[in-house]
Amino acid sequence: MSVTQAARPSGREVNALRPLSIVTGFTRHAEGSVLIKAGDTHVLCNASVLEKVPPFLKGQGQGWVTAEYGMLPRSTHTRSDREAARGKQSGRTQEIQRLIGRSLRAVFDLEALGERTLHLDCDVLQADGGTRCASITGAWVAAALAVRTLLNNGLVQRNPIKDHVAAVSVGLVNGRPVLDLDYLEDSGCDADMNIVMTGKGQFVEVQGTAEGETFDRPTLDGLLDLATVGVAQLVKFQQQALDLAQSKG
Amino acid sequence: MSVTQAARPSGREVNALRPLSIVTGFTRHAEGSVLIKAGDTHVLCNASVLEKVPPFLKGQGQGWVTAEYGMLPRSTHTRSDREAARGKQSGRTQEIQRLIGRSLRAVFDLEALGERTLHLDCDVLQADGGTRCASITGAWVAAALAVRTLLNNGLVQRNPIKDHVAAVSVGLVNGRPVLDLDYLEDSGCDADMNIVMTGKGQFVEVQGTAEGETFDRPTLDGLLDLATVGVAQLVKFQQQALDLAQSKG
Amino acid sequence: MSVTQAARPSGREVNALRPLSIVTGFTRHAEGSVLIKAGDTHVLCNASVLEKVPPFLKGQGQGWVTAEYGMLPRSTHTRSDREAARGKQSGRTQEIQRLIGRSLRAVFDLEALGERTLHLDCDVLQADGGTRCASITGAWVAAALAVRTLLNNGLVQRNPIKDHVAAVSVGLVNGRPVLDLDYLEDSGCDADMNIVMTGKGQFVEVQGTAEGETFDRPTLDGLLDLATVGVAQLVKFQQQALDLAQSKG
Amino acid sequence: MSVTQAARPSGREVNALRPLSIVTGFTRHAEGSVLIKAGDTHVLCNASVLEKVPPFLKGQGQGWVTAEYGMLPRSTHTRSDREAARGKQSGRTQEIQRLIGRSLRAVFDLEALGERTLHLDCDVLQADGGTRCASITGAWVAAALAVRTLLNNGLVQRNPIKDHVAAVSVGLVNGRPVLDLDYLEDSGCDADMNIVMTGKGQFVEVQGTAEGETFDRPTLDGLLDLATVGVAQLVKFQQQALDLAQSKG
Amino acid sequence: MSVTQAARPSGREVNALRPLSIVTGFTRHAEGSVLIKAGDTHVLCNASVLEKVPPFLKGQGQGWVTAEYGMLPRSTHTRSDREAARGKQSGRTQEIQRLIGRSLRAVFDLEALGERTLHLDCDVLQADGGTRCASITGAWVAAALAVRTLLNNGLVQRNPIKDHVAAVSVGLVNGRPVLDLDYLEDSGCDADMNIVMTGKGQFVEVQGTAEGETFDRPTLDGLLDLATVGVAQLVKFQQQALDLAQSKG
Amino acid sequence: MSVTQAARPSGREVNALRPLSIVTGFTRHAEGSVLIKAGDTHVLCNASVLEKVPPFLKGQGQGWVTAEYGMLPRSTHTRSDREAARGKQSGRTQEIQRLIGRSLRAVFDLEALGERTLHLDCDVLQADGGTRCASITGAWVAAALAVRTLLNNGLVQRNPIKDHVAAVSVGLVNGRPVLDLDYLEDSGCDADMNIVMTGKGQFVEVQGTAEGETFDRPTLDGLLDLATVGVAQLVKFQQQALDLAQSKG
C-alpha cells in the first residue's frame, strides 16, 4: 500500500486546518465568552474576572490566570461519565486544564493584571479531536475580551496581554505528518504532538507522544515545521475575531 | 405603593411565557440533542440511548429513564465552583436531576422501551431563572427525538412515550401571581412553584415553596391555574419543534 | 373490585392520623430533644444552639436555622448502607434535610434569634413511612424547647418563633385520597404529597409526585383538603407536648 | 491533698459499675435490637442477618460477623459534625467498629453460622464515656437475639455463639484504679484501659493507654483485676436480659 | 504433636529479637531521618519540625507531636492498593498512625517543645510483620535527632524528650509465648500483643488481641514479661544509634 | 552580566549528568526492585507482576503495563501533605504516573507479555529535581528484572521488551542549555523539557514548557541535542545494572 497517496478522511491537505469559527459573546454573563469551532470540535470558552487571587499570591501585587476544563458527557461518540457525578476529575482533565493555564500565563504580564484572577472555563460541547488545542486558542480570545473590558473601565492601566497564544495538533498518520488531526486521525495515528506557540512564533509548550511508533529526529523536525504554519494561521483568526467583536461592540 | 400597577421587569403580562426557542440537532453525537432557550435561560439537553439498565432492573424486561443536570461555572451572574473540581454535586443539583428523571418517567412506558436506558443530560449554558423547568421541557423533546430513531430503526416496536411532559414556574411577585419567573423575579419573590404537567393537563409534580411569605389556599389555587395555562403552551412548542425536526430530517 | 370498600391496612379511617407520641427531653445534652413517634415511624429530633452563623451571614445581625437528616442503617425493613461509611449522603437525604431547614425557617424571625444557629438533627430510629413529615413536626417542638431556654436565659429578647410548622403526607391509594400514609400504603400508592403548613393554616411547602399515575386538579384539591385537616391536628399535639414539658420543667 | 479520700464524682465505689439497663426489642425491624444504658451512655445496638458474605469468604462454607459504629451528632455535650455530611468516618470511629467486630467474632463459631453475615450497628444516642464498651456488651445481646431467631427458624443447626463477650473500661483517676469511667473521669484520667472478656473470664482484647502518666506493672495488674470483676457482672446482666426477652417472647 | 519442641521458623529463641539496624541520616531533608530494619521489616522514619501547631493548640504555649504511617504498595508479599489512589486511608492505617502519635507524646514535654509541631512520617519500604512497633522505635530516634538540632540551634531551651519510647510485639504461637513476631508467625498466631514502653520500663500502650483463641491471665502475664525484656533491648539499640550519630555529626 | 561564564551550582559541565547509581534488589517482595539515585534524587522503583489485566483488555490475549508515582511527604525540602491523607492524588502526580506508564508501554510488546499486568510503583524517597525522569529510567530496569523472572520461569516465551527507554531533563538556565537539572536549577530556569527516548535514539515523549520565557526553534533544537546525548548515557547505565544483577543472580 502506498501511504503517500492516501487522502485524509476529511479530504483536507496535510497542512490544512479544519474550518475555524470563533463566535464572541456566546453567553452573556462572562466578561469574555467565545464559542470556538474547529471542524466538529466545539468548545465554549468563558473568561471570568474574579477580584481575588489564590492564597500564595496574596499581597504580592500581581494577578493570576488559571483554567478549568470539562467535557459534557455526550460531547463524545459514546456517553462518558459525568465527572461531577463520579466525584473527581480524571487525570486527563487535570493534565489539560493545567496545560491551558500555563499556556495563557506564558503571554500574560501578571503585574499589569493587578491583584485579580482571570479564570478560564473551557467546556467541550462537541468533541472531534483536538479539544485541548481549541480550548487554548479560544481561551485566549475570551481572555482578550475580558481584558478589553478591564482596560475600557480603567481597572487596569496597561494591557497585561503581551502576545497571542494558540495551539494546534500535528501527528504522523500512516507515516505522514499532518496538521490539525480530527478524531478519526487522532485515534489511529502513530505519534501525536500538541504545540502551543505565541504570535511571534516562540514555543510555549511542546508535547509529543509516540502512540504506536516511536519517531526519529527528522520526523520531529517535520512535525514542528507543520505546527508553526498552523499556529500562525490560528493567530490571524484570533485577531479577526477580536477586531470583529470590537467593531460590533 | 400600588403593587397591582407595577409592571414585570421584562414588561411581560403576568400570564406570558418568555420567548421560547427549541433548536433540535444542536450537537451531533447524541441520539437526541436540543438547545432550549426560555428567554435568557439556555439549556443543552442531550438524550443518549445506552444498551444497558441499572442493576436493579436487570432481566426485568423493561428499560429506564434517568437524568443528570449541571450548570457551567459561568452560566450564572457570578462564577460558581465547578462541581467536578469540588468533587461532589450539590444538594440542589441532585434534587433537580432526580426531579427531571421522575418527570420523564411519568410519561414513559418502560416496558415498551425494552432493556435499555435513556439517559438525559441537561447542561445549563446560560442561566436566568427556571433552569429546572426548561430542562424538563427540553429533555422531553430530546427524548422524543431519540425514541424516534429507535422506532425508525425497529429497535422498539411501539412508542414508549405516552404523552408530553413540560414544566413551568409560577410565583408570587409583590403579592401577584405571575408565570415563568426570570432570575430577577425569582430572587425577589414571596413564593415559588414548579409545576410539571402532561399534555393532557394531568399533574406530575407540584413543588411549591414559601420563600418569604407563607401563602393561603386561594393563592395556591391561582398559581395552579396560571401554571396550567403555561404548560399547555409549552406542549404546543414541543410539538412544533418535533414536527419541524421531522420535516427537516 | 370496588376500591371504595377496601379498608386501609391499618384499619384507620381515610382521614385519620397514626397514633402520635411526642416525648420531650429524650436525650440530655441537646438544648431541645424530642422523640416523635407517628405510628411505627420514630424520629429523634435534637435542637442544638451554636453561637456562630454560616460565613454568608457573618455580621448581618441575624441568625440561622438549618437541619440534617439521617436514617440509622437498620431503621428500615432491610438494612441500608450507612451513609458515613459510603462517604456521602444520598440525594434523597440531602433533599429531605433541605426541606426540613426551609420549613423551619419559614416560621422563624431570624433577627430575633440573634447571631446564632439553631441546628436541628433529625435521626430516624425506626421507619414506617412519613419520616420527613415526622421530622418536621418533631423538629419544631425541639426548636421551641431550645428557644424557650434562650428566652429563659435572656439570650434572646423576643420569641423568634412566629408560628407552628408541621407536616403530613397524603396520597392516592387505590384511587382514594388518604391521610398520613404508612410504609405499606406509601410503597403502593399512585400519588404522594408532603404538605408543610403553619399553625394558621398557611402553606409552607407543597410537594406532590405522581408515583404511578398522574393526577387531575380535583384530586389535587382533595388531597390538599385532607392535609389541611391533618396538620391542624398535629399542631395541637405539638402545643400539648410543649405545655406538658413546661409543667414538668 | 489526699487522693485516696476523694470520692468519685458519681459517688460510686471504685469497683462499682454504673446502673445498667438492657432493653430488648427497642426497634422492630432488626433481627436483634437492644438499647443498652450504662448510666448516661445510651447505645442502640441492632443486629441484622444478611444472607451474603463478604467477597473474601464466598464459597468457604462459613459466615461473618462485623460491626459499624456511629455517634449521633448531638449525643455529646457539644454538637459534633455528622460523619455522613463530612464524607468520611474518623479514625476513632473506624478503630472502634473494628474492635467491636473482632470482639464479637472471638466468641462466634463462624462455620455454625453458615454463609451469612451478622451485621451489628451500634449507634450512640447519648454519650457519657465508655461508648465502645457499652457497644460491645449490648451488641452481644443483640447478636444473641438474632441467633435465637435463626435457631428457632431452623436456619442454623447448632448455636454459633460459643460464649458471652462483654467489655468495661478501667482507669487511673487521681492515681487510684476505678471501674467503668464516666465522661468526667475519662477526660481527666491518667491512664485508661478497655478490657474485653468472655463469660469464662478469658481475655479477648486488652487496650490500655497512658493518657497523662505512664504506668507500672503493679498498676496494670490492679486494673486488670478490676476489669475482671466488672465484666463478670456485665455477663450476668446480659444473661438476665436474654432470659427476660425469652419469657416475654 | 508436642508444640514445645517446635523451633521458630527463623530459628530464633522465643525471647530473641530479630537482628536490628538503625541507620541515621537516611534522607537529607528531614530534621531527623532514620531507616530502621527489624529483620526484613524496613521502615523509613522521618521527623519534620513545622513552625506551627494545630488549631486547637494555637496560643497555648505548647507544641504537638503527631504521626502519619503508610506502606508502599509493594512493601508486602503481594501488591496492595495505593491509598492515595484509592482516595482514603484504611482503618488499619489510621489506627496505627494514631498509636504512633500517642506513644511519642507520652514521653514528650510539649511545653518545652514550644509552639511547633514534630511531624513523624513512618513509611514502610518492606514489610515482614511488626511494622507498627518498628515505626514507634524508629520514630523515637528520628524525633531525638530532630530535637537535638533544635537544642543545638537554641530553638528550644530544655530537652522536651523525657524518656525513650519503644515497642515490640509478643504473641502466642502454637500455644507458646514468643517475642517479636515476623509475618509468618504473626499470620498464624493465636493471640498477638503490641506493647509500648518507656526507657524506665513504664507502660505506654498495651494492645492485645485474641486472633484465634482467647487467653487467660497467666498467659497475659507471660506475654507482658516477654515484652518487658524485648523493649529494654530496643532502648539500648536506640541509644547506641543516637550516640553513633552524634560522634559522626 | 555574562551568563556564559557562570558555572552550574553543582560545578557540573552543561552536558554532564549527575552521578548515577542503580541498586537492584533493594526490596525483596517485588518481582523487580530498583533504587535509582540521580545525584540527590532517590526513587524506589518496584515492578509487580499481576496475573490479571484491566477490564478493557480482558480476553484480548495481551497484557498491560501501568505505573503509579508518589513522593514521600518529607522527600522534599519542606514537608508536603501526604496524598493518602488528603484523599486524592494531585494533578501533577497523575500527570507523572500517566507519563511513566506511556513511556514504558512504548517499548513493550504487550502480546508477548500475555494476559498479565506489569505494575510499576515509583516512590520518591528523596527529591532534588528530575524525579519523573529518574522514575522512568529506574522503572525500566525494574521492569526488565521482572521480565527476566517471567522468562526464566517459562511464563512468557519471548522477551516482551523491545528496547530500552530512559528519560532526562534539559533546560535553559540563565539562557544556556544544560543537561539533567537539579532542584536549584529547575526552580530558576526559563524553560524545561523532559525527553523520553529509546535505546535506539527514537523519541517517545517530548514535553517542553516555557516556565518564564518562551523559546525559539534554534533553542529547542539545542535542547533536543543535549537530551539525546544524556539519554544515550543513561541507557548504558541501565544495561550495566542489568548485567551486574545477572552476574549476582
Side-chain angles (χ1 to χ4, degrees):
Chain A
M1 174 185 127
S2 168
V3 296
T4 53
Q5 298 170 329
R8 297 177 72 176
S10 58
R12 280 185 283 148
E13 296 296 314
V14 293
N15 62 354
L17 291 175
R18 289 179 281 184
L20 193 79
S21 144
I22 297 178
V23 179
T24 57
F26 185 73
T27 66
R28 66 185 297 140
H29 301 309
E31 281 73 25
S33 178
V34 162
L35 179 67
I36 185 168
K37 298 184 181 180
D40 279 335
T41 288
H42 302 178
V43 186
L44 174 53
C45 304
N46 282 335
S48 297
V49 176
L50 311 178
E51 292 297 325
K52 62 180 179 183
V53 287
F56 70 90
L57 282 182
K58 269 193 188 137
Q60 309 276 321
Q62 66 164 93
W64 189 240
V65 178
T66 189
E68 286 182 4
Y69 168 93
M71 297 183 84
L72 293 195
R74 196 56 199 278
S75 58
T76 42
H77 287 74
T78 56
R79 188 177 183 275
S80 311
D81 284 346
R82 184 178 291 266
E83 290 190 328
R86 281 197 306 133
K88 64 175 189 173
Q89 295 179 300
S90 71
R92 175 185 174 276
T93 291
Q94 291 188 63
E95 207 169 299
I96 292 175
Q97 65 193 13
R98 284 157 54 90
L99 170 66
I100 301 170
R102 282 198 312 272
S103 297
L104 269 287
R105 284 194 297 276
V107 295
F108 257 80
D109 175 347
L110 294 174
E111 288 187 16
L113 183 58
E115 282 209 22
R116 56 177 59 86
T117 296
L118 199 58
H119 195 113
L120 295 152
D121 285 291
C122 299
D123 285 278
V124 179
L125 304 188
Q126 186 176 286
D128 188 43
T131 62
R132 80 189 69 192
C133 291
S135 294
I136 291 168
T137 305
W140 184 88
V141 180
L145 291 168
V147 161
R148 185 180 283 172
T149 307
L150 288 172
L151 284 164
N152 289 348
N153 296 348
L155 288 167
V156 299
Q157 307 309 316
R158 65 178 196 277
N159 194 340
I161 300 185
K162 299 181 293 183
D163 197 353
H164 285 252
V165 72
V168 78
S169 72
V170 286
L172 277 188
V173 178
N174 294 328
R176 187 176 53 168
V178 298
L179 180 69
D180 194 15
L181 286 68
D182 58 27
Y183 177 76
L184 203 61
E185 292 175 317
D186 192 27
S187 52
C189 74
D190 300 323
D192 173 35
M193 296 191 84
N194 294 293
I195 308 290
V196 186
M197 298 179 75
T198 67
K200 293 192 186 63
Q202 295 278 104
F203 289 94
V204 174
E205 291 269 342
V206 176
Q207 297 199 336
T209 297
E211 301 274 340
E213 290 293 321
T214 56
F215 50 93
D216 60 16
R217 181 65 179 272
T219 301
L220 173 54
D221 289 341
L223 291 169
L224 292 169
D225 292 344
L226 207 51
T228 304
V229 172
V231 170
Q233 293 177 49
L234 292 170
V235 165
K236 280 186 198 154
F237 280 115
Q238 288 178 324
Q239 193 55 47
Q240 286 171 10
L242 265 193
D243 292 346
L244 187 61
Q246 185 135 38
S247 67
K248 285 191 304 186
Chain B
M1 174 184 128
S2 167
V3 297
T4 54
Q5 299 171 330
R8 297 178 72 176
S10 57
R12 279 185 284 147
E13 296 296 313
V14 292
N15 62 355
L17 293 175
R18 289 179 281 185
L20 192 79
S21 143
I22 297 178
V23 178
T24 56
F26 185 72
T27 65
R28 65 185 299 139
H29 301 308
E31 280 73 25
S33 178
V34 163
L35 179 66
I36 184 168
K37 299 184 179 179
D40 279 335
T41 288
H42 301 177
V43 186
L44 174 53
C45 304
N46 282 334
S48 298
V49 175
L50 310 178
E51 292 296 328
K52 61 179 178 184
V53 287
F56 70 92
L57 282 182
K58 269 193 188 137
Q60 309 277 321
Q62 67 165 93
W64 190 239
V65 177
T66 189
E68 287 182 4
Y69 168 93
M71 298 184 83
L72 292 195
R74 196 56 198 280
S75 58
T76 42
H77 287 76
T78 56
R79 188 178 182 276
S80 310
D81 285 347
R82 182 177 292 266
E83 291 191 327
R86 281 197 306 131
K88 64 174 188 173
Q89 294 178 301
S90 71
R92 176 186 173 276
T93 291
Q94 291 187 63
E95 208 169 298
I96 293 175
Q97 64 195 14
R98 284 157 53 90
L99 171 65
I100 302 170
R102 281 200 311 273
S103 298
L104 269 287
R105 283 194 297 276
V107 295
F108 258 80
D109 174 347
L110 294 174
E111 287 187 17
L113 184 57
E115 282 211 23
R116 54 177 62 84
T117 296
L118 198 58
H119 195 112
L120 296 152
D121 285 291
C122 298
D123 285 278
V124 179
L125 304 188
Q126 188 177 286
D128 188 42
T131 62
R132 80 189 69 189
C133 291
S135 295
I136 291 167
T137 305
W140 184 88
V141 180
L145 291 168
V147 161
R148 183 179 285 171
T149 307
L150 288 172
L151 283 164
N152 289 346
N153 295 347
L155 288 167
V156 298
Q157 306 308 317
R158 66 178 196 275
N159 194 338
I161 301 186
K162 300 182 290 183
D163 198 353
H164 285 252
V165 73
V168 78
S169 72
V170 287
L172 277 188
V173 178
N174 296 327
R176 188 176 50 168
V178 299
L179 179 69
D180 193 15
L181 286 68
D182 59 27
Y183 177 76
L184 203 60
E185 292 173 319
D186 191 28
S187 53
C189 73
D190 299 323
D192 175 33
M193 296 191 84
N194 294 294
I195 307 290
V196 186
M197 298 178 76
T198 66
K200 294 193 184 64
Q202 296 278 105
F203 290 94
V204 174
E205 292 269 340
V206 177
Q207 298 200 336
T209 297
E211 302 274 339
E213 291 293 321
T214 56
F215 49 93
D216 59 16
R217 181 67 179 270
T219 302
L220 173 53
D221 289 340
L223 291 169
L224 292 169
D225 292 344
L226 208 49
T228 304
V229 171
V231 170
Q233 293 177 49
L234 292 170
V235 165
K236 281 185 199 154
F237 279 116
Q238 288 178 325
Q239 192 56 46
Q240 287 170 10
L242 266 194
D243 292 346
L244 187 61
Q246 186 135 37
S247 67
K248 284 191 305 186
Chain C
M1 174 183 125
S2 166
V3 295
T4 54
Q5 298 168 328
R8 296 178 72 176
S10 58
R12 280 187 284 148
E13 297 295 312
V14 293
N15 62 354
L17 292 175
R18 289 178 282 184
L20 192 79
S21 144
I22 298 178
V23 179
T24 57
F26 185 73
T27 65
R28 65 184 301 139
H29 301 309
E31 281 72 25
S33 178
V34 163
L35 179 67
I36 184 168
K37 298 184 181 179
D40 279 334
T41 289
H42 302 177
V43 186
L44 174 53
C45 304
N46 282 334
S48 298
V49 175
L50 311 178
E51 291 297 326
K52 61 180 179 184
V53 288
F56 71 91
L57 282 181
K58 273 200 184 129
Q60 309 276 322
Q62 68 164 94
W64 189 240
V65 177
T66 189
E68 287 181 5
Y69 168 93
M71 298 183 84
L72 293 196
R74 196 54 199 280
S75 59
T76 42
H77 287 74
T78 56
R79 188 178 183 274
S80 310
D81 285 348
R82 184 177 292 266
E83 291 190 327
R86 281 198 305 132
K88 66 175 186 172
Q89 295 179 300
S90 70
R92 176 186 173 276
T93 291
Q94 291 187 64
E95 207 168 300
I96 292 176
Q97 65 193 12
R98 284 157 54 92
L99 170 66
I100 302 170
R102 283 199 311 272
S103 297
L104 269 286
R105 284 195 296 277
V107 295
F108 257 80
D109 174 346
L110 294 174
E111 288 187 16
L113 183 59
E115 282 210 20
R116 55 177 61 85
T117 296
L118 198 57
H119 194 112
L120 296 153
D121 286 290
C122 299
D123 285 277
V124 179
L125 305 189
Q126 187 176 288
D128 187 42
T131 63
R132 80 188 69 190
C133 291
S135 294
I136 291 167
T137 305
W140 184 87
V141 180
L145 291 169
V147 161
R148 183 179 286 173
T149 307
L150 289 172
L151 284 164
N152 288 347
N153 296 346
L155 288 167
V156 300
Q157 306 307 318
R158 66 177 194 277
N159 194 338
I161 300 186
K162 299 181 291 184
D163 198 352
H164 284 253
V165 73
V168 77
S169 71
V170 286
L172 277 189
V173 178
N174 295 326
R176 187 176 51 168
V178 296
L179 180 69
D180 193 15
L181 287 66
D182 57 28
Y183 178 77
L184 202 61
E185 292 174 319
D186 191 27
S187 51
C189 73
D190 299 323
D192 174 35
M193 296 193 83
N194 294 294
I195 308 290
V196 187
M197 299 178 76
T198 67
K200 294 192 186 62
Q202 295 278 105
F203 290 93
V204 175
E205 292 269 341
V206 177
Q207 299 201 336
T209 297
E211 300 276 338
E213 290 293 321
T214 56
F215 50 93
D216 60 16
R217 181 65 179 272
T219 301
L220 173 54
D221 289 340
L223 291 169
L224 292 169
D225 292 344
L226 207 50
T228 304
V229 171
V231 169
Q233 293 178 49
L234 292 170
V235 165
K236 281 185 200 153
F237 279 116
Q238 288 179 325
Q239 193 56 46
Q240 286 171 9
L242 266 193
D243 292 346
L244 186 62
Q246 186 136 38
S247 67
K248 284 190 306 187
Chain D
M1 175 183 128
S2 167
V3 297
T4 55
Q5 298 168 329
R8 298 177 72 175
S10 58
R12 278 186 285 149
E13 296 296 312
V14 293
N15 62 353
L17 293 174
R18 289 179 281 184
L20 191 79
S21 144
I22 297 178
V23 179
T24 56
F26 186 72
T27 66
R28 65 184 301 139
H29 301 309
E31 281 72 26
S33 178
V34 162
L35 179 67
I36 185 169
K37 299 185 180 178
D40 279 335
T41 288
H42 302 178
V43 186
L44 174 52
C45 304
N46 282 336
S48 298
V49 176
L50 311 177
E51 293 296 327
K52 62 179 179 183
V53 287
F56 70 92
L57 281 182
K58 270 193 187 137
Q60 309 276 320
Q62 66 164 94
W64 190 239
V65 177
T66 189
E68 287 182 5
Y69 168 94
M71 298 183 83
L72 293 196
R74 196 53 198 281
S75 58
T76 43
H77 287 74
T78 56
R79 187 178 184 277
S80 311
D81 285 347
R82 184 178 291 266
E83 291 191 328
R86 281 198 305 132
K88 65 174 187 172
Q89 295 179 300
S90 71
R92 176 186 172 275
T93 291
Q94 292 188 62
E95 207 169 300
I96 292 175
Q97 64 195 12
R98 285 157 53 91
L99 170 66
I100 302 170
R102 282 199 310 273
S103 298
L104 270 286
R105 284 194 296 276
V107 296
F108 257 80
D109 175 347
L110 294 173
E111 288 187 15
L113 184 58
E115 283 210 21
R116 55 177 60 85
T117 296
L118 197 58
H119 195 114
L120 296 152
D121 285 290
C122 299
D123 285 277
V124 179
L125 304 188
Q126 185 176 289
D128 188 41
T131 62
R132 79 188 69 188
C133 292
S135 294
I136 291 168
T137 305
W140 184 87
V141 180
L145 291 169
V147 161
R148 184 179 284 172
T149 307
L150 288 172
L151 283 164
N152 289 347
N153 296 348
L155 288 166
V156 299
Q157 305 309 318
R158 66 178 194 276
N159 194 338
I161 301 186
K162 299 181 292 183
D163 198 353
H164 285 252
V165 72
V168 78
S169 72
V170 287
L172 276 188
V173 178
N174 295 326
R176 189 175 49 169
V178 298
L179 180 70
D180 193 16
L181 287 66
D182 59 26
Y183 177 76
L184 203 60
E185 292 174 318
D186 191 28
S187 54
C189 74
D190 300 321
D192 174 34
M193 297 191 84
N194 293 294
I195 308 290
V196 186
M197 297 178 76
T198 66
K200 294 192 186 64
Q202 295 279 105
F203 289 93
V204 173
E205 292 269 341
V206 177
Q207 299 200 335
T209 297
E211 301 275 338
E213 290 293 321
T214 56
F215 49 92
D216 58 18
R217 180 68 178 270
T219 301
L220 173 53
D221 289 340
L223 290 169
L224 293 169
D225 292 344
L226 208 49
T228 303
V229 171
V231 170
Q233 293 177 50
L234 292 170
V235 165
K236 281 184 199 155
F237 279 116
Q238 287 178 325
Q239 191 57 45
Q240 286 171 10
L242 266 193
D243 293 345
L244 187 61
Q246 186 137 38
S247 66
K248 283 192 304 187
Chain E
M1 175 183 127
S2 167
V3 297
T4 54
Q5 299 169 328
R8 298 178 71 176
S10 58
R12 279 186 284 149
E13 296 296 313
V14 292
N15 62 354
L17 292 174
R18 289 179 281 184
L20 192 80
S21 145
I22 298 178
V23 179
T24 56
F26 186 73
T27 66
R28 67 184 299 141
H29 301 309
E31 282 72 25
S33 178
V34 162
L35 178 66
I36 184 168
K37 298 183 180 180
D40 279 334
T41 288
H42 302 178
V43 185
L44 175 52
C45 304
N46 281 335
S48 297
V49 176
L50 310 178
E51 292 297 327
K52 61 179 180 184
V53 287
F56 70 91
L57 282 181
K58 268 191 189 140
Q60 308 278 319
Q62 67 164 94
W64 190 240
V65 177
T66 189
E68 287 182 4
Y69 167 93
M71 297 182 84
L72 293 195
R74 196 54 198 280
S75 58
T76 42
H77 287 75
T78 55
R79 189 177 183 277
S80 311
D81 284 348
R82 183 178 292 265
E83 290 190 329
R86 280 198 305 133
K88 65 174 186 171
Q89 295 179 300
S90 71
R92 176 186 174 275
T93 291
Q94 291 188 64
E95 206 169 300
I96 292 175
Q97 65 193 12
R98 283 157 55 91
L99 170 66
I100 302 170
R102 283 199 311 273
S103 297
L104 269 285
R105 285 194 296 277
V107 296
F108 258 80
D109 175 347
L110 293 174
E111 287 187 17
L113 183 59
E115 283 211 17
R116 56 177 61 84
T117 296
L118 197 58
H119 195 113
L120 295 152
D121 286 292
C122 299
D123 286 278
V124 179
L125 304 188
Q126 186 176 287
D128 187 42
T131 61
R132 80 188 69 189
C133 291
S135 294
I136 291 168
T137 305
W140 184 87
V141 180
L145 292 168
V147 161
R148 184 179 284 171
T149 307
L150 289 172
L151 284 164
N152 289 348
N153 296 348
L155 289 167
V156 299
Q157 306 308 317
R158 65 178 195 278
N159 194 337
I161 300 186
K162 299 181 292 182
D163 198 352
H164 286 252
V165 73
V168 77
S169 73
V170 286
L172 276 188
V173 178
N174 295 327
R176 189 175 50 170
V178 299
L179 180 68
D180 194 15
L181 286 67
D182 57 27
Y183 177 75
L184 202 60
E185 292 174 317
D186 192 28
S187 53
C189 74
D190 300 321
D192 173 35
M193 296 191 84
N194 294 293
I195 308 290
V196 187
M197 298 178 77
T198 66
K200 293 191 187 65
Q202 295 278 104
F203 290 93
V204 174
E205 291 269 341
V206 177
Q207 298 200 336
T209 297
E211 300 274 338
E213 291 292 321
T214 56
F215 49 92
D216 59 17
R217 181 66 179 272
T219 301
L220 173 54
D221 289 339
L223 290 170
L224 292 169
D225 293 342
L226 208 50
T228 304
V229 172
V231 169
Q233 293 177 48
L234 292 170
V235 165
K236 282 185 198 155
F237 279 115
Q238 287 179 325
Q239 192 57 45
Q240 285 171 10
L242 266 194
D243 293 345
L244 187 61
Q246 185 135 39
S247 66
K248 284 192 304 188
Chain F
M1 174 183 126
S2 166
V3 296
T4 55
Q5 298 169 329
R8 298 177 71 175
S10 59
R12 279 186 284 149
E13 296 296 312
V14 293
N15 62 355
L17 293 175
R18 289 179 282 184
L20 192 80
S21 145
I22 298 177
V23 178
T24 56
F26 186 73
T27 65
R28 64 184 301 138
H29 300 310
E31 281 72 25
S33 178
V34 162
L35 178 67
I36 185 168
K37 299 184 179 179
D40 278 335
T41 288
H42 302 177
V43 186
L44 174 53
C45 304
N46 281 335
S48 297
V49 175
L50 311 178
E51 292 297 326
K52 61 179 179 184
V53 288
F56 70 91
L57 282 182
K58 272 199 185 130
Q60 309 276 321
Q62 67 164 94
W64 190 239
V65 177
T66 189
E68 287 182 5
Y69 167 94
M71 298 183 83
L72 293 195
R74 196 53 199 280
S75 59
T76 42
H77 287 75
T78 55
R79 187 177 183 278
S80 311
D81 284 347
R82 183 178 292 265
E83 291 190 328
R86 281 198 304 132
K88 65 174 187 171
Q89 295 178 301
S90 71
R92 177 187 172 274
T93 290
Q94 291 187 65
E95 206 169 301
I96 292 175
Q97 64 194 12
R98 284 158 53 92
L99 170 66
I100 301 170
R102 283 199 311 272
S103 297
L104 269 286
R105 283 195 297 276
V107 296
F108 257 80
D109 175 347
L110 294 174
E111 288 187 14
L113 183 58
E115 282 209 23
R116 55 177 59 86
T117 296
L118 199 57
H119 195 113
L120 296 152
D121 286 290
C122 299
D123 285 277
V124 179
L125 305 188
Q126 186 177 287
D128 188 42
T131 62
R132 78 188 70 190
C133 292
S135 294
I136 292 167
T137 305
W140 184 87
V141 180
L145 291 169
V147 161
R148 183 178 285 172
T149 306
L150 288 173
L151 284 165
N152 289 347
N153 295 346
L155 289 166
V156 299
Q157 306 308 318
R158 65 177 196 277
N159 195 338
I161 301 186
K162 299 182 291 183
D163 197 352
H164 284 252
V165 72
V168 77
S169 73
V170 288
L172 276 188
V173 178
N174 295 326
R176 188 176 50 169
V178 298
L179 180 68
D180 193 15
L181 285 68
D182 58 27
Y183 177 76
L184 203 59
E185 292 174 318
D186 191 28
S187 52
C189 74
D190 300 322
D192 175 35
M193 296 191 85
N194 294 294
I195 308 291
V196 186
M197 298 179 76
T198 67
K200 293 193 185 63
Q202 296 279 103
F203 289 94
V204 173
E205 291 270 341
V206 177
Q207 298 200 335
T209 297
E211 300 275 339
E213 290 293 321
T214 57
F215 49 93
D216 58 16
R217 180 67 178 269
T219 301
L220 173 54
D221 290 340
L223 290 169
L224 292 169
D225 292 344
L226 208 49
T228 303
V229 171
V231 169
Q233 293 178 49
L234 291 170
V235 165
K236 280 185 200 156
F237 279 116
Q238 288 178 325
Q239 192 56 46
Q240 286 170 10
L242 266 194
D243 293 346
L244 187 61
Q246 185 136 39
S247 67
K248 285 192 306 187

